[in-house]
Structure formats: C-alpha cells, structure tokens
Amino acid sequence: KFEPRILELLERSPHLRQVIDPLLEVRRVLREQYQRLHKAMEQMAEADDVCQLLMTAPGVGSMVALSFRAGVDEPGRFGRSRS
C-alpha cells in the first residue's frame, strides 16, 4: 500500500517524482533481498535439530535460535549452566 500511495501523491509533482522514484526502487530491492535472506535463515533453522528444539520455546524464532546456536557452538565447553 505504501508505494502506490506515494506514487498517487506524486502525480501532481513531476520534479519531486524524479527524486523519489530511485528511492522507491532501492526500497523495493532491499525488501526483496530481505525476504530472500529471511527465507534462507528459516530454512537453515528448520534443518538444524538444536534450532528446532530452541524454537519450541515461546518467543524464540529462527533468528534467535540461529544466533544462540552460533554463540554457544559446543555446549559441552560449559561445565555448568551458569557458565
């Protein structure tokens, strides 16, 4: 809804549209790339048993699970949970 509304508002200002069109294109590309990366991250988390287990906790999604998995790496390194 955002982009069509902006274009509608710019119909009366062709000079401003020359400036805004490239910005809308950049926004569109960034959103597409974000969606592609987000999907890949979700697939990585779904393919990992530890991440799947972590994601059963309320509020833990693929990003949190992958971040925790990467940060802890090998849980056997820690002698106690407090460590």
Side-chain angles (χ1 to χ4, degrees):
K1 295 181 180 181
F2 177 79
E3 190 170 332
R5 177 68 176 137
I6 296 299
L7 293 174
E8 176 186 324
L9 293 171
L10 291 174
E11 286 177 359
R12 294 179 237 149
S13 181
H15 298 298
L16 186 57
R17 183 160 180 167
Q18 288 179 338
V19 175
I20 299 299
D21 273 344
L23 295 174
L24 289 174
E25 177 65 23
V26 168
R27 179 183 179 271
R28 193 176 314 116
V29 170
L30 282 172
R31 289 176 55 87
E32 290 170 4
Q33 292 301 317
Y34 168 80
Q35 289 170 352
R36 185 176 297 154
L37 290 171
H38 187 72
K39 185 176 180 178
M41 182 183 64
E42 287 179 337
Q43 290 171 347
M44 286 173 57
E46 289 173 7
D48 186 279
D49 292 337
V50 173
C51 287
Q52 284 182 351
L53 180 61
L54 289 169
M55 289 189 297
T56 61
V60 177
S62 55
M63 182 178 290
V64 171
L66 285 169
S67 297
F68 186 81
R69 177 83 161 113
V72 171
D73 190 34
E74 181 56 46
R77 297 183 300 147
F78 304 99
R80 301 179 318 196
S81 62
R82 187 174 189 158
S83 301

